[in-house]
Amino acid sequence: MSHPVSGLGEFALIRRLAARLGPARRDVVVGIGDDVAAVEVRADRYLLMTCDAQVEGVHFLPGVTPPERVGRKAAAVNLSDIAAAGGRPTHFLVSLLLPPDTAVEWMEAAYDGIAHEAALFGADVVGGNVARAGQLALDLTLLGEVERDRIVRRAGARPGDLVLVTGSPGMARAGLALLKQPAPGLADEERRRLVDAYQLPVPRIREARAMGDVGGVTAMIDVSDGLAADLGHICDESGVGLRLLARSLPVDEGMGRLARSLGVDPLEWVLGGGDDYELALTARPGRAEALQRAVHDATGTPLTVIGEIVPREAGRHLVLDGGQEVPLTVAGWEHFGAGHP
Amino acid sequence: MSHPVSGLGEFALIRRLAARLGPARRDVVVGIGDDVAAVEVRADRYLLMTCDAQVEGVHFLPGVTPPERVGRKAAAVNLSDIAAAGGRPTHFLVSLLLPPDTAVEWMEAAYDGIAHEAALFGADVVGGNVARAGQLALDLTLLGEVERDRIVRRAGARPGDLVLVTGSPGMARAGLALLKQPAPGLADEERRRLVDAYQLPVPRIREARAMGDVGGVTAMIDVSDGLAADLGHICDESGVGLRLLARSLPVDEGMGRLARSLGVDPLEWVLGGGDDYELALTARPGRAEALQRAVHDATGTPLTVIGEIVPREAGRHLVLDGGQEVPLTVAGWEHFGAGHP
C-alpha cells in the first residue's frame, strides 16, 4: 500500500528520511534537523559547490524510472560537476519539491538512491528542505573540495592541446530512445546496458582524481548537453577553436547498431546526445598517454583522444573519414529549445 | 512587452541573469558559468549551509507579489536560517525551476531581488542551475560561516533559561490576511507595513551577530512555522519544557486591531502565524538585559523576554493573564497539513 506524504506531515517526513542515512562524517558539526548544516573546512583547499535538479515529467517519468534510480541520477549529475572540476564530493543538501499526493514509499526509495550514490563516492547527505509543490522535483546541492593546485576549469584550453573523452558518449541517448520505442532486434543485455547509461550514469569522480595525480589537464567539462555543445563551452570560455576527428570518436557497438536500425547516424548521438556525464577534456599533448594509462589502471574506463585544440580563428570543425572538414554545428540540448525531447 | 524564457534558451538566460550581478568577492575563485563555484575557506570557522524554496502558487501568487519581492523573500528565508545559527552569509546558489512561458522580465526582476537582498547582508550569488519545469520555483542554497565558539543550535536550551523573541511575530500572518480579503478600516500606511512583514521579512542577521558579541544565547531558531511550533522544535531538540507568559508576548498594535476586526484572537497569530522570520531564542538569565541592549543599540529591533525554559516533565504551557496555565497547543504550520492556507 502506498501512503501520500500529506498524511505524514513535513517534520515526520524529514525524520523518516533522515533515519535512512548512516552516521555522518566527523567533520559534520551540525547535520539534518537544525536550521543549517555546519562542517569543518580546511584552508588548503577550495570549497566547490554545484546544484542540479531532476524534475518529474522533464528529467524522468514517474511510471518509467524506478524511484531509486531517480535518486541515484539526481546525485550522480551533481557528482559529475564536482568531477569536472577535479574535486572530491563532500556534502549534499537535498531540497524536495513534493506534491501532497507523493507516495511516502516512492520518496523513501528515491532518498535511498541519493544516499547510496553519495556513499559510493564518499559524500554525505547533511541537510535539505521540503516544500509543497504541484510538480515533483529533487533539487540537490553538492559541496566538494579540491586542492588549490588541482582545480580544473573550462577556461584553460590552449592551441596544441589534445581533446579527450571518457567512455562512449551517445549511449544515454540510445537508452532514452529505447524507453520511448521498442527495438525488437536488441538482446535484453544490450538493452539494459543502454538504458542504464541513461538512468544510472556513472559520475567520473575516480577518473578525474586519477588524472589529477598525473597532471596536464588544461580544461574539463562533463557531457550533459552533448559532446559538441559541451566542448563548445570549453572553446567559448578558453577562446579557442576545435578539430574533432570523426574516425577517432568512440562509438559503442550496441548504440551504433540501434542508431542505424532507427535510421540515425551514430555520430549524431555521439556528438549531440547529451545526458552522458562522461568527461570531455583538453590536455597538454605530452601528458595524454600518461593520463590514459592512469585512468585505465585506476578505473578501467577508456580515455580516448578525439581531436585537438586550434586557434580561435580556425573555427570548430569535424574532420570526416575522407579528410573533408565540416563545421561542427551539431547543437547540444538547450533545455528550452524546441528541437529536443 | 514580455518575452518567454523559451525564446531565449538556457545559456542566454544564464548569461543575462549573471550580467545583472556585480563583481564577485575576492574569495570567489570560480563563479557563474563553470560547472561549479569555488571559494576559499578559513579553518577557524564552521561552514554553514541551508536551502529553502519559494514555489509559485504555494509561497507566492504570481499576479499578487511583485517578482522583485519574490526574489528578495527567497533570499531572506535562507539568510534567516544562517542568522539562527549565529552566522554570516557568504554565497548563494540559485536553482531556477522555470516553465518555458515564464517571462524573461519577470525572471530578471526576481533575480535582481535575490541579488539585492544578498548584497544587503554581504553575500554573493556565485552559481546555480536552470531546469525546465511545469511550476515556477526559486530554490536557493546559501552558504555561510560562523566562528567555532559562536555557533548556536536548537539543542542548547536548559531549565532556567529565559525565552526571548525579536520583533513582533504574527505581523506576517496579518499581511497574508490583508492580501486575501479587504480591510476597509485600515490606513494605507498600516496596510503596507503588514503586507511588507509578509512579503519582505527582514532576516535578523545583524541582531544575531550583535547577540553573538554579548554571548549567553543557548538555543535559537527562526520563526517560519509559527512561534509556538518553532519554540517546540527547540524544546524537542533540547529535551526541555516551556512556560510562555501571555502578557509578555509582543502584540503589534495594527496587527492586533486587524485580528480583532476579523474575529481572531491576536495571540493566535502571534503564536501560530508563521512566516515571520523573527528569531526565537533562549538565553542564560543573567545575559538577557545585555542581549536586549546590544540588539537595540545595533539595530533598533526590540528583543522581548516572553517566558522561561522549565524541565521537560513540566510540559509546555501558556500562562494567561489571570495566572491560569493552559497547555501550549497552538499548532505551527506543517506544510502538508490541512489546517493552514
Side-chain angles (χ1 to χ4, degrees):
Chain A
M1 223 189 85
S2 161
H3 303 83
V5 291
S6 56
L8 205 58
E10 180 192 1
F11 305 119
L13 177 65
I14 292 174
R15 272 194 302 274
R16 234 173 119 154
L17 295 177
R20 307 176 81 84
L21 303 173
R25 293 151 47 116
R26 271 173 314 175
D27 67 346
V28 178
V29 182
V30 182
I32 292 172
D34 221 293
D35 292 299
V36 298
V39 302
E40 296 189 52
V41 285
R42 297 174 50 171
D44 57 339
R45 316 263 161 119
Y46 292 129
L47 175 74
L48 305 173
M49 40 192 147
T50 186
C51 60
D52 211 331
Q54 294 285 304
V55 181
E56 179 178 359
V58 177
H59 302 91
F60 66 92
L61 298 172
V64 175
T65 314
E68 212 251 346
R69 291 190 163 210
V70 174
R72 287 191 63 178
K73 186 164 181 177
V77 300
N78 281 283
L79 290 160
S80 180
D81 279 327
I82 296 293
R88 270 195 303 241
T90 55
H91 305 92
F92 274 103
L93 291 183
V94 178
S95 179
L96 303 174
L97 304 186
L98 294 185
D101 62 351
T102 307
V104 174
E105 292 77 6
W106 192 97
M107 198 57 250
E108 289 183 325
Y111 205 77
D112 284 349
I114 295 170
H116 176 73
E117 189 77 15
L120 282 179
F121 295 93
D124 280 319
V125 178
V126 293
N129 186 59
V130 177
R132 193 178 58 181
Q135 186 181 26
L136 182 66
L138 311 181
D139 195 2
L140 273 56
T141 294
L142 176 58
L143 302 190
E145 58 179 18
V146 63
E147 300 82 355
R148 283 167 185 251
D149 57 353
R150 275 217 191 180
I151 189 167
V152 184
R153 307 182 49 174
R154 296 180 179 178
R158 289 164 292 177
D161 287 352
L162 295 179
V163 179
L164 300 96
V165 70
T166 61
S168 296
M171 290 175 67
R173 183 67 187 76
L176 178 61
L178 283 173
L179 292 173
K180 294 189 166 183
Q181 60 200 113
L186 219 64
D188 278 358
E189 165 62 26
E190 195 73 279
R191 181 189 154 81
R192 189 164 46 241
R193 214 169 52 84
L194 295 173
V195 169
D196 282 359
Y198 175 67
Q199 290 184 338
L200 286 181
V202 179
R204 299 304 193 184
I205 295 281
R206 291 186 183 93
E207 289 77 2
R209 294 299 295 173
M211 288 189 258
D213 290 338
V214 172
V217 175
T218 52
M220 190 149 62
I221 193 168
D222 64 324
V223 180
S224 55
D225 296 318
L227 183 58
D230 287 313
L231 283 174
H233 296 320
I234 285 184
C235 291
D236 289 340
E237 298 291 324
S238 301
V240 295
L242 175 70
R243 273 177 96 239
L244 288 188
L245 304 176
R247 70 163 180 279
S248 301
L249 290 171
V251 179
D252 176 78
E253 196 183 313
M255 185 273 279
R257 212 177 315 122
L258 177 66
R260 282 185 292 268
S261 80
L262 296 173
V264 174
D265 181 342
L267 285 195
E268 204 177 296
W269 283 358
V270 172
L271 289 169
D275 241 349
D276 290 302
Y277 302 99
E278 297 293 350
L279 292 175
L281 56 127
T282 61
R284 299 310 298 162
R287 310 301 288 167
E289 267 184 53
L291 288 168
Q292 289 175 306
R293 198 165 46 239
V295 169
H296 181 271
D297 290 352
T299 66
T301 304
L303 177 64
T304 310
V305 176
I306 59 174
E308 62 178 340
I309 294 297
V310 297
R312 186 212 296 256
E313 307 74 58
R316 303 173 191 179
H317 292 90
L318 177 66
V319 184
L320 301 180
D321 289 2
Q324 187 191 357
E325 297 203 5
V326 295
L328 197 57
T329 54
V330 183
W333 181 18
E334 289 229 348
H335 297 181
F336 298 108
H340 198 285
Chain B
M1 221 187 88
S2 159
H3 304 83
V5 292
S6 56
L8 205 57
E10 178 192 4
F11 305 118
L13 177 64
I14 292 173
R15 272 194 303 273
R16 232 173 118 155
L17 294 177
R20 306 177 81 83
L21 303 173
R25 293 151 47 117
R26 270 173 316 175
D27 66 345
V28 179
V29 182
V30 182
I32 293 172
D34 219 293
D35 292 299
V36 297
V39 301
E40 295 189 53
V41 286
R42 296 174 51 172
D44 57 338
R45 316 265 160 118
Y46 292 130
L47 175 74
L48 305 173
M49 41 193 147
T50 186
C51 60
D52 211 331
Q54 293 285 304
V55 181
E56 179 178 357
V58 178
H59 302 92
F60 65 92
L61 298 172
V64 175
T65 314
E68 212 252 345
R69 292 191 161 209
V70 174
R72 287 192 63 179
K73 185 164 182 178
V77 300
N78 280 284
L79 289 161
S80 180
D81 279 327
I82 297 293
R88 271 195 303 240
T90 55
H91 305 91
F92 274 104
L93 290 183
V94 178
S95 178
L96 303 174
L97 303 186
L98 294 185
D101 62 352
T102 307
V104 174
E105 292 76 8
W106 191 99
M107 198 56 250
E108 288 183 323
Y111 204 78
D112 284 350
I114 295 170
H116 176 74
E117 190 76 15
L120 282 179
F121 295 93
D124 280 318
V125 178
V126 293
N129 186 58
V130 176
R132 193 178 57 181
Q135 186 181 25
L136 181 65
L138 311 182
D139 196 2
L140 272 58
T141 294
L142 176 58
L143 302 190
E145 57 179 19
V146 63
E147 301 82 355
R148 284 167 185 250
D149 57 353
R150 278 219 191 177
I151 190 167
V152 185
R153 308 180 48 173
R154 295 181 180 178
R158 290 164 293 176
D161 286 353
L162 295 179
V163 180
L164 300 95
V165 71
T166 61
S168 296
M171 289 176 65
R173 183 68 187 76
L176 178 61
L178 282 173
L179 292 174
K180 294 189 166 182
Q181 59 199 114
L186 219 64
D188 278 0
E189 166 62 27
E190 197 73 279
R191 182 189 155 80
R192 188 163 48 239
R193 215 169 51 86
L194 295 173
V195 169
D196 281 359
Y198 175 67
Q199 291 183 338
L200 286 181
V202 179
R204 298 305 191 184
I205 295 280
R206 291 188 183 91
E207 290 76 1
R209 294 299 295 172
M211 289 190 257
D213 290 340
V214 172
V217 175
T218 52
M220 189 149 61
I221 193 169
D222 65 325
V223 181
S224 55
D225 296 318
L227 183 58
D230 287 313
L231 284 173
H233 297 320
I234 285 184
C235 290
D236 289 340
E237 298 290 325
S238 301
V240 296
L242 175 69
R243 272 178 95 241
L244 289 189
L245 304 176
R247 71 162 179 279
S248 302
L249 290 171
V251 179
D252 177 77
E253 198 184 310
M255 185 272 278
R257 211 178 316 124
L258 177 66
R260 281 184 293 267
S261 81
L262 297 172
V264 174
D265 181 343
L267 285 194
E268 204 178 297
W269 284 358
V270 172
L271 288 168
D275 241 349
D276 290 302
Y277 301 98
E278 297 293 352
L279 291 175
L281 55 128
T282 61
R284 300 308 299 160
R287 308 301 286 167
E289 267 184 54
L291 288 168
Q292 290 175 305
R293 201 167 40 239
V295 169
H296 181 270
D297 289 353
T299 66
T301 303
L303 177 64
T304 311
V305 176
I306 58 174
E308 63 176 342
I309 295 297
V310 296
R312 186 212 297 258
E313 308 74 57
R316 303 173 190 180
H317 292 89
L318 177 66
V319 185
L320 301 180
D321 289 1
Q324 186 192 358
E325 297 203 6
V326 295
L328 196 56
T329 55
V330 182
W333 180 18
E334 289 228 348
H335 297 181
F336 299 109
H340 198 284

